[in-house]
């Protein structure tokens, strides 16, 4: 009996997924619920289990392809004889249902570029007519089918979704559809010079108008905002020289790049730095960590102390526990703390929901569980959503401190530096203390410097005067 393998829906707002890796080959035996393939979506990377035991008979969608949810991506022979097991032919793979991909930039030159020469720009023109496999733009008054992510991107870039042809099921507008329109507009802006041909000499003499060395030139100011194409940010003759190797971005790395560029464009980033004396916390942890692990079967790290201190700060200054929707500031009643987790293949920020309702043990257990499942690709989409504030810890890798990018649509992120013993002045005497730098990146559209520093002082005060029991 043939059992279809379908692309699952990994959350209410997710309507497509990219197969990043097949863990089995046609002809391999599989057990029910055994990891079968890996997918990447806008929210998470995940391993998808086999729906039945048997033999993998056919792979219909190859690695790297993006398809809508409920698309049949493979077939399992539940009888287990493996008859007819085969990899799809190129013609069959081409016929597999998938969304049309946006055009890619021209292939990199093979070797050095001649001095003074440059490849033709690889910008994408704005679509003039619906491509094959897409539907015509919806008429005025018709319901527009799209995800919250697509609607947010359209709002940020001033794109009217009623003019965008959708390539998804029933004319749904996907992320690739809106990206094609946005990047097409960027390419047209770059291709249309804002000055006459003889302007470069005049511009070179105007202060602040000529691009500095190393400054991205693939951007164009529109309406007071710079729209940056990730593919053409730097002239290609400056990228390909000498001996080099070209490595395509993974799907996760592409998503990280898009989100980081969008965050820097949307939020007015400002940074505050403070230093905290962690001696009391460090001493308490050293005394308690062995008994804590023995009693609760989980290790005690420094991170739950910082989470609890951040919760105290957010309670006192709720402006930092907010997000922005146009001209509205949304003050969240729940405190959901996102914790950045470094993976071998990228970065993800799982969320501790209702962190203000958990004690130190509860926070530590939640963190350990989320981090372990993030590294094994077992997170659910809802576990990386609805964060209201984030914490990242470059100090665990030896960093003195970092200036992190805000995790949209939040308005603040706390960065933790390394905890190091340093000589400091205490009561007019030099003492050796365990010190740590803290950094706060905040959105100046919502948070003023006075509030940011008051928040930091509350975090510092909570850590230096720690009173919550550990055991």
């Amino acid at each position: 009996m043939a059992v279809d393998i379908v692309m699952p829906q990994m959350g209410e707002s997710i309507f497509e997924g990219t197969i990043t890796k097949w863990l089995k080959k046609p002809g391999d035996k599989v057990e029910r619920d055994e990891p079968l393939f890996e997918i990447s979506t806008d929210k998470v990377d995940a391993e998808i289990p086999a729906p039945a035991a048997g033999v993998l008979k056919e792979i219909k969608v190859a690695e790297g392809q993006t398809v809508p949810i409920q698309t049949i991506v493979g077939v399992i022979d539940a009888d287990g004889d493996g008859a007819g097991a085969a990899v799809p032919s190129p013609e069959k793979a081409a016929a597999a249902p998938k969304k049309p991909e946006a055009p890619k930039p021209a292939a990199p030159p093979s070797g050095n570029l001649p001095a003074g020469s440059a490849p033709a720009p690889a910008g994408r023109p704005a679509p003039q007519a619906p491509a094959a496999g897409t539907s015509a733009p919806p008429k005025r008054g018709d319901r527009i089918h799209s995800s919250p992510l697509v609607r947010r991107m359209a709002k940020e870039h001033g794109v009217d979704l009623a003019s965008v042809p959708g390539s998804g099921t029933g004319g749904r507008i996907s992320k690739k559809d809106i990206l094609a329109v946005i990047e097409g507009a960027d390419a047209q802006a770059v291709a249309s010079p804002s000055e006459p041909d003889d302007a470069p000499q005049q511009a070179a003499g105007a202060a602040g108008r000529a691009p500095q060395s190393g400054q991205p030139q693939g951007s164009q100011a529109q309406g007071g905002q710079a729209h940056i194409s990730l593919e053409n940010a730097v002239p290609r003759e400056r990228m390909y020289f000498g001996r080099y190797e070209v490595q395509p971005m993974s799907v996760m790395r592409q998503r990280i790049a898009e989100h980081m560029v969008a965050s820097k464009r949307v939020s007015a980033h400002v940074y505050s730095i403070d230093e905290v004396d962690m001696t009391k916390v460090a001493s308490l942890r050293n005394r308690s960590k062995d008994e804590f692990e023995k009693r609760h079967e989980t290790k005690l790290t420094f991170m739950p102390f910082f989470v609890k201190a951040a919760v105290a700060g957010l309670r006192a200054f709720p402006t930092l526990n907010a997000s922005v929707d146009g001209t509205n500031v949304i003050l969240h009643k729940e405190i959901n703390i996102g914790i950045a987790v470094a993976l071998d293949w990228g970065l993800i920020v799982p969320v501790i929901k209702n962190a203000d309702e958990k004690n130190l043990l509860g926070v530590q257990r939640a963190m350990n569980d989320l981090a372990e499942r993030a590294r094994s690709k077992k997170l659910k989409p809802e576990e990386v959503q609805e964060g209201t504030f984030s914490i990242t810890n470059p100090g665990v890798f030896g960093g003195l401190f970092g200036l992190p990018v805000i995790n949209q649509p939040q308005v603040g992120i706390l960065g933790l530096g390394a905890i190091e013993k340093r000589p400091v002045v205490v009561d007019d005497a030099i003492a050796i203390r365990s010190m740590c730098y803290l950094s706060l990146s905040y959105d100046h559209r919502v948070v003023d410097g006075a509030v940011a520093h008051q928040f930091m002082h509350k975090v510092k005060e909570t850590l230096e005067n720690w009173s919550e029991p550990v055991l």
Side-chain angles (χ1 to χ4, degrees):
M1 178 181 69
V3 177
D4 291 335
I5 309 165
V6 300
M7 174 65 70
Q9 182 168 14
M10 299 294 290
E12 290 183 1
S13 63
I14 297 176
F15 300 97
E16 62 186 13
T18 301
I19 294 183
T20 55
K21 184 178 182 181
W22 280 95
L23 304 176
K24 297 288 185 179
K25 301 186 298 293
D28 287 354
K29 290 185 177 180
V30 296
E31 299 295 331
R32 181 180 176 86
D33 296 328
E34 180 183 8
L36 185 57
F37 61 99
E38 296 178 358
I39 68 169
S40 181
T41 71
D42 285 342
K43 303 299 182 185
V44 292
D45 284 4
E47 290 181 346
I48 305 304
V55 172
L56 181 59
K57 182 178 181 181
E58 183 180 3
I59 292 176
K60 291 180 175 289
V61 178
E63 293 178 358
Q65 286 188 300
T66 301
V67 294
I69 59 172
Q70 303 307 317
T71 298
I72 298 174
V73 300
V75 178
I76 289 178
D77 181 4
D79 296 332
D81 57 13
V87 177
S89 63
E91 295 80 5
K92 200 165 187 179
K98 68 171 185 173
K99 294 166 56 73
E101 296 185 4
K104 296 181 179 179
S110 55
N112 294 343
L113 290 172
S117 65
R124 284 181 260 203
Q128 300 298 323
T134 66
S135 64
K139 298 178 181 178
R140 292 290 176 184
D142 289 352
R143 182 181 177 185
I144 298 175
H145 299 276
S146 62
S147 68
L149 173 66
V150 168
R151 292 193 291 273
R152 188 176 79 239
M153 292 175 68
K155 183 175 181 180
E156 290 173 356
H157 291 270
V159 176
D160 183 3
L161 286 178
S163 65
V164 179
S167 59
T169 305
R172 175 176 292 278
I173 300 171
S174 71
K175 183 177 180 180
K176 284 190 176 180
D177 297 331
I178 189 68
L179 279 175
V181 174
I182 292 169
E183 295 184 10
D186 292 344
Q188 284 189 341
V190 173
S192 302
S194 57
E195 299 179 357
D197 292 338
D198 59 351
Q201 291 182 349
Q202 300 172 9
R209 292 180 60 187
Q212 302 297 317
S213 176
Q215 176 181 348
Q217 299 180 15
S219 63
Q220 178 73 23
Q222 297 180 351
Q225 294 178 336
H227 298 266
I228 299 176
S229 168
L230 295 178
E231 295 172 349
N232 300 309
V234 179
R236 297 176 69 220
E237 69 270 19
R238 296 221 303 263
M239 291 190 289
Y240 299 105
F241 56 86
R243 300 175 62 189
Y244 59 83
E245 176 185 354
V246 177
Q247 295 183 345
M249 284 187 177
S250 67
V251 174
M252 174 177 275
R253 179 51 56 189
Q254 292 177 44
R255 299 296 178 265
I256 292 172
E258 292 165 3
H259 294 167
M260 294 300 98
V261 170
S263 182
K264 294 291 284 188
R265 182 183 62 79
V266 169
S267 291
H269 280 65
V270 182
Y271 310 95
S272 294
I273 309 295
D274 208 337
E275 191 175 25
V276 58
D277 187 343
M278 293 290 293
T279 304
K280 187 171 184 178
V281 170
S283 177
L284 177 62
R285 176 180 174 270
N286 287 337
R287 294 196 310 267
S288 308
K289 62 181 182 180
D290 292 337
E291 180 63 25
F292 186 93
E293 184 172 2
K294 180 179 178 181
R295 183 181 300 183
H296 303 298
E297 298 182 347
T298 188
K299 290 184 177 180
L300 177 63
T301 66
F302 282 106
M303 183 61 82
F305 294 94
F306 289 108
V307 171
K308 295 291 290 181
V311 165
L314 295 171
R315 279 176 172 163
F317 302 97
T319 306
L320 277 151
N321 196 54
S323 54
V324 181
D325 180 20
T327 57
N328 296 324
V329 177
I330 303 169
L331 298 173
H332 299 287
K333 301 301 182 182
E334 296 86 3
I335 297 180
N336 301 334
I337 305 290
I339 305 295
V341 176
L343 308 172
D344 292 339
W345 56 93
L347 177 76
I348 198 165
V349 187
V351 178
I352 303 174
K353 301 290 180 66
N354 299 305
D356 53 324
E357 299 177 1
K358 293 177 169 59
N359 61 11
L360 196 77
L361 173 61
V363 170
Q364 183 70 76
R365 279 184 167 159
M367 283 177 40
N368 291 348
D369 172 61
L370 290 169
E372 181 180 348
R373 289 191 292 112
R375 296 186 178 102
S376 60
K377 299 185 178 181
K378 307 258 185 233
L379 284 177
K380 301 174 184 177
E382 58 268 24
E383 291 174 324
V384 295
Q385 298 177 12
E386 299 181 357
T388 62
F389 187 81
S390 293
I391 300 177
T392 183
N393 185 14
V396 75
F397 303 107
L400 190 62
F401 63 84
L403 301 176
V405 177
I406 297 169
N407 186 20
Q408 295 297 322
Q410 298 164 24
V411 298
I413 180 170
L414 184 68
L416 313 179
I419 299 175
E420 299 177 326
K421 288 189 175 182
R422 292 197 290 271
V424 296
V425 176
V426 179
D427 296 330
D428 293 332
I430 296 177
I432 304 300
R433 311 291 287 181
S434 296
M435 305 299 293
C436 174
Y437 285 108
L438 304 180
S439 65
L440 177 68
S441 306
Y442 58 96
D443 189 340
H444 210 346
R445 295 179 301 167
V446 178
V447 183
D448 292 329
V451 174
H453 284 282
Q454 287 173 318
F455 168 84
M456 292 285 274
H457 180 75
K458 182 64 176 179
V459 172
K460 174 185 174 77
E461 182 182 54
T462 303
L463 291 168
E464 292 183 344
N465 301 283
W466 188 266
S467 58
E468 182 176 335
V470 172
L471 297 173

